[in-house]
Amino acid sequence: MPVFSRFTRYFMAVAQHGSIRRASEALGISASSIDRQILLGEESLGSPLFERLPSGLRLTAAGALLLVQTRRWQRELEACRTEIDDLKGLRRGHVTLLIPEAMARGMVPGVVATLRAEHPGITLSVLVRANHEIGPALIEGQGDLALVFDPVMSSRLSVRASIACPLGFVTLPGHPLAQQDEARFSQGVAYPLIAPSAPLALAQKIAWLSAETGQEGLPVCESDDIETIKSLVRNGVGISILSSVDVMQEVGDGSLAFVPLANRKIRPFELCFCVDQARSLPAATRLVAQSLEAAFPGLALPERRA
């Protein structure tokens, strides 16, 4: 039996699909019933929730506020159900993890695989978001846990674990730079360079290095996608500058080499595991959180041979 009122369910569907007709098709409810509930809700609240446009319906400012609240109710209901299961002694629940694209390989899939093996009653959603969107999305209740680089701190965000991810040159294993413990920026830009471009935060770091050292390479290729950059390096197009966490898997399997930058002024990226401290964590979420925390030390840059 649905816990939310008809109005709440219909309102969320119309907000998601952008029209009463599409919401009707998704819910299997007549469009007239949905329209009537929306009109009754607007009358009760004393404010229009949607702008009626030729192309469909668009949320008003009041509608956007209500959507944030209804999503929060939905998350809180799911958390309540999980807590009820905890009272019954059941180890199950659903956890939503927000991550940047750089974490879509390696650690996160490994943690998910381990959790599925050890706690089959727990299901997960792993949602990839632009890094700057993750902190606000966590606070808005779109996720339970989050991995984010250099988060903008607030009174709501609590960092459970963090690790520095230094920048370095990414090369083929046989490249001359790969034989060094570290390399100066001026050494790297002497080689064909595959430059990370905006909106990647790496682009800003490289621009700062160029200004600070007075050295500027001539990129033979640019890309705003980490996977594309690594593929180009593997195919011998050139070398690049990435963070250590971007190439953990490739360094581990020997397909790429990572040489830290010899510049103490450049600040490394900081990968943080964050929770919303305004919300209590159900048992299933706590289990996932513990698994993520335990995996963080494995992201440390391995020691290089002298």
Side-chain angles (χ1 to χ4, degrees):
M1 183 177 67
V3 175
F4 288 137
S5 68
R6 281 186 295 167
F7 163 73
T8 303
R9 289 183 285 119
Y10 296 174
F11 166 74
M12 294 179 72
V14 173
Q16 177 184 355
H17 295 285
S19 83
I20 289 177
R21 179 183 59 79
R22 288 195 289 271
S24 170
E25 294 171 353
L27 294 175
I29 304 293
S30 70
S32 61
S33 295
I34 294 175
D35 188 42
R36 183 166 57 253
Q37 287 295 321
I38 296 297
L39 291 172
L40 287 172
E42 290 178 323
E43 181 181 348
S44 176
L45 292 169
S47 177
L49 300 174
F50 295 97
E51 295 179 50
R52 272 68 175 178
L53 305 172
S55 58
L57 274 67
R58 183 172 64 192
L59 286 168
T60 62
L65 284 173
L66 182 60
L67 181 62
V68 170
Q69 185 62 51
T70 53
R71 284 175 172 169
R72 184 176 297 125
W73 291 337
Q74 192 176 49
R75 299 293 308 171
E76 289 174 353
L77 175 61
E78 186 61 35
C80 181
R81 282 175 169 161
T82 300
E83 290 177 6
I84 290 172
D85 284 344
D86 292 346
L87 291 174
K88 297 175 182 177
L90 303 175
R91 191 60 62 87
R92 67 185 184 212
H94 186 81
V95 180
T96 299
L97 174 63
L98 305 172
I99 65 169
E101 184 180 0
M103 299 308 300
R105 301 176 65 201
M107 184 189 86
V108 171
V111 167
V112 172
T114 300
L115 282 165
R116 290 297 303 146
E118 296 179 354
H119 305 286
I122 296 177
T123 58
L124 294 100
S125 293
V126 181
L127 306 181
V128 177
R129 295 284 186 268
N131 190 70
H132 69 276
E133 297 175 348
I134 294 176
L138 179 67
I139 291 172
E140 289 175 8
Q142 297 178 33
D144 302 300
L145 308 169
L147 298 177
V148 57
F149 289 102
D150 296 334
V152 177
M153 298 311 298
S154 74
S155 59
R156 293 279 297 273
L157 280 185
S158 175
V159 176
R160 295 273 297 261
S162 65
I163 193 165
C165 304
L167 272 64
F169 291 104
V170 177
T171 74
L172 289 171
H175 193 278
L177 287 182
Q179 314 312 313
Q180 302 179 199
D181 290 334
E182 58 182 19
R184 297 188 305 277
F185 184 68
S186 58
Q187 291 177 280
V189 296
Y191 296 97
L193 185 66
I194 303 162
S197 59
L200 292 177
L202 285 158
Q204 297 176 353
K205 298 274 191 184
I206 295 172
W208 184 91
L209 281 165
S210 295
E212 196 270 338
T213 62
Q215 301 285 331
E216 187 172 357
L218 294 175
V220 297
C221 186
E222 294 182 351
S223 178
D224 63 356
D225 179 72
I226 298 295
E227 292 302 318
T228 299
I229 291 172
K230 292 189 290 188
S231 181
L232 289 167
V233 174
R234 282 194 297 267
N235 281 275
V237 175
I239 68 172
S240 189
I241 297 177
L242 298 175
S243 75
S244 59
V245 75
D246 291 324
V247 290
M248 288 292 296
Q249 186 167 337
E250 290 80 6
V251 171
D253 63 27
S255 60
L256 291 176
F258 179 83
V259 186
L261 268 167
N263 189 311
R264 302 297 177 253
K265 295 181 181 179
I266 188 75
R267 191 171 69 89
F269 289 108
E270 185 176 23
L271 177 66
C272 297
F273 167 40
C274 298
V275 300
D276 180 358
Q277 61 182 5
R279 304 205 318 257
S280 60
L281 301 183
T285 307
R286 292 197 300 271
L287 279 171
V288 178
Q290 291 165 7
S291 296
L292 286 169
E293 286 180 294
F296 254 65
L299 294 173
L301 189 67
E303 294 185 6
R304 296 173 59 85
R305 293 180 179 178

